[in-house]
Amino acid sequence: MKEELIERLTRYAKIDTQSDATSDTTPSTEKQWDLLRVLEKEMTDIGLEDISVDENGYLFGTLRSNTEKQLPTVGFLAHIDTAPDYTGTNVNPQRIDNYDGKDISLNESTIMSVQAFPELNNYIGHTLITTDGTTLLGADDKAGIAEIMTAMHYLVEHPEIKHGKVRIGFTPDEEIGLGPHKFDVERFGADFAYTMDGGPLGELQYESFNAAGVEVIFHGANVHPGTAKDKMVNSLLIAAEFQQAMPQHEIPQETEHYEGFIHLMNIDGSVEKTTYDYIIRDFDRDSFEARKQLVQDTATQLQEKYGQHAIELTVTDQYFNMGEKITPVMEIVDVVADVYRSLDIEPKIAPIRGGTDGSQLSYMGMPTPNIFTGGENYHGKYEFISADNMVKATQVIIETLKLQEQRG
């Protein structure tokens, strides 16, 4: 199993599937189809059924039930795209067997040191897959794909392991927040699902942020500064007042765990016009709404001071805390936690300080917690993954289906 996982991940990682947030197509990049076509053929080769890929790049397949019990249909999902903010072109995975706990030379000029990355101490004796220091690895989420495909292959080859109907799905554009936007939950047909899209060993996540995007446009009036008295209105200064009214310590770099924030992401400004882009994140729905209200109240106060025309505000909800939809069916989380323990894995149940496809899919009617894949330092040249922990993630898939059948 370990060698199969390494082979799959290495092969998938070499296929460039970066998504593009500026695109208006789905998938956002044509090259995502290269991996979809590979996976479609492999799904057929290992014996899956009902394989289909729609015009938007959502690839689904079925592992038929082999039990007489009437069980819910379970889904497993992973995304094919890699992050747009770090190159996925010419990925060259490197293998380190029996890691010795020392600094890792990715190339002649790039060292992944234990001092900078102390988590390496957790992987002594493991087989690691790293980058060559020039690209990301793409284990987010090609490791998830490899684990799902390997688990399905194993179950086909071992029909003595009883399980219900399984649906698997590979989706585009998760990294730009669009993974579920054209996901056909009815066509997928699962009662609930799991994303294989987590990080280190033991992660099990069923809570995510509530999320909103905010655009604020400040309008000014520009005249020659030598004759500007009582005429110039500087949009940059109005914008500065707005930001000053935001909670100064409730920002990403000063928050953790269940703490929320308002994050100023981008500024584009001049005297005449300034634009701010924010994101608002909070786990608690009431606190989330209060943050949005603060933004609105601040805009209103500045409109009263500078005129209604001085500020345009747009607040757009992006996704909500999937815990609201998963908590009523916590048995789908509990069964995975029990599997972890049976495999001597300590469940690390913590909120996702972000969102996954499951955040949106849970509100689309398919509760979808998130399971670890085994990787670290995603989205950059220091990304690596333990093949040993990939084996454990694959075993989690197999044993979860097995335990659900036994309890059914």
Side-chain angles (χ1 to χ4, degrees), residues 38-245:
V38 168
L39 294 172
E40 183 179 19
K41 182 179 184 303
E42 289 185 15
M43 289 163 68
T44 301
D45 290 344
I46 67 175
L48 299 184
E49 302 176 0
D50 302 327
I51 300 165
S52 65
V53 58
D54 67 16
E55 68 276 11
N56 296 306
Y58 292 81
L59 174 60
F60 299 161
T62 299
L63 177 64
R64 182 180 295 180
S65 172
N66 65 357
T67 178
E68 295 181 359
K69 295 181 179 179
Q70 297 299 311
L71 300 172
T73 298
V74 183
F76 287 92
L77 303 169
H79 63 88
I80 62 168
D81 66 314
T82 62
D85 52 354
Y86 210 95
T87 183
T89 303
N90 298 321
V91 173
N92 181 34
Q94 300 187 115
R95 173 175 177 163
I96 301 172
D97 287 306
N98 194 25
Y99 171 58
D100 60 8
K102 298 179 181 178
D103 293 353
I104 297 173
S105 176
L106 300 176
N107 59 44
E108 291 182 356
S109 60
T110 307
I111 303 296
M112 181 160 55
S113 71
V114 177
Q115 181 178 359
F117 300 98
E119 62 271 18
L120 285 167
N121 289 306
N122 299 324
Y123 297 96
I124 295 173
H126 287 229
T127 299
L128 302 184
I129 309 298
T130 74
T131 76
D132 68 359
T134 64
T135 71
L136 50 65
L137 177 61
D140 179 12
D141 191 24
K142 290 169 183 175
I145 298 171
E147 289 156 1
I148 293 169
M149 290 294 290
T150 302
M152 295 303 104
H153 187 205
Y154 187 89
L155 289 168
V156 169
E157 295 293 314
H158 292 81
E160 71 277 9
I161 299 175
K162 300 302 179 184
H163 55 81
K165 182 180 178 181
V166 184
R167 289 283 277 166
I168 67 170
F170 301 125
T171 64
D173 294 335
E174 188 270 353
E175 295 290 1
I176 57 174
L178 300 177
H181 280 208
K182 296 183 180 180
F183 190 106
D184 189 335
V185 170
E186 184 176 354
R187 179 169 77 90
F188 190 61
D191 294 286
F192 56 88
Y194 302 95
T195 46
M196 299 299 297
D197 194 19
L201 178 71
E203 282 189 352
L204 178 56
Q205 299 156 320
Y206 68 91
E207 296 176 279
S208 63
F209 278 137
N210 297 292
V214 178
E215 180 184 64
V216 196
I217 302 175
F218 305 90
H219 295 283
N222 193 17
V223 297
H224 190 285
T227 58
K229 184 172 175 58
D230 298 327
K231 298 176 184 178
M232 178 185 285
V233 178
N234 192 333
S235 76
L236 289 161
L237 297 180
I238 302 174
E241 283 190 59
F242 186 95
Q243 172 57 23
Q244 192 61 34

Side-chain angles (χ1 to χ4, degrees), residues 14 30 77 128 143 174-175 184 188 273 279 295 310 319 352 363 391:
K14 291 181 178 180
E30 184 68 21
L77 303 169
L128 302 184
E174 188 270 353
E175 295 290 1
D184 189 335
F188 190 61
K273 179 181 177 182
I279 59 172
V295 168
Y319 56 84
I352 304 170
Y363 279 84
V391 170

Side-chain angles (χ1 to χ4, degrees), residues 248-299:
Q248 298 299 299
H249 298 287
E250 295 176 14
I251 54 179
Q253 59 267 43
E254 296 191 30
T255 53
E256 60 183 346
H257 305 309
Y258 283 94
E259 297 169 338
F261 56 76
I262 299 177
H263 178 34
L264 179 58
M265 296 272 290
N266 186 64
I267 300 173
D268 182 13
S270 65
V271 171
E272 193 78 21
K273 179 181 177 182
T274 299
T275 301
Y276 277 0
D277 292 310
Y278 290 90
I279 59 172
I280 297 174
R281 300 290 188 264
D282 209 301
F283 290 97
D284 180 79
R285 181 67 76 96
D286 290 340
S287 180
F288 175 63
E289 295 298 332
R291 292 182 189 280
K292 292 194 294 181
Q293 191 61 51
L294 171 63
V295 168
Q296 181 62 67
D297 291 346
T298 302

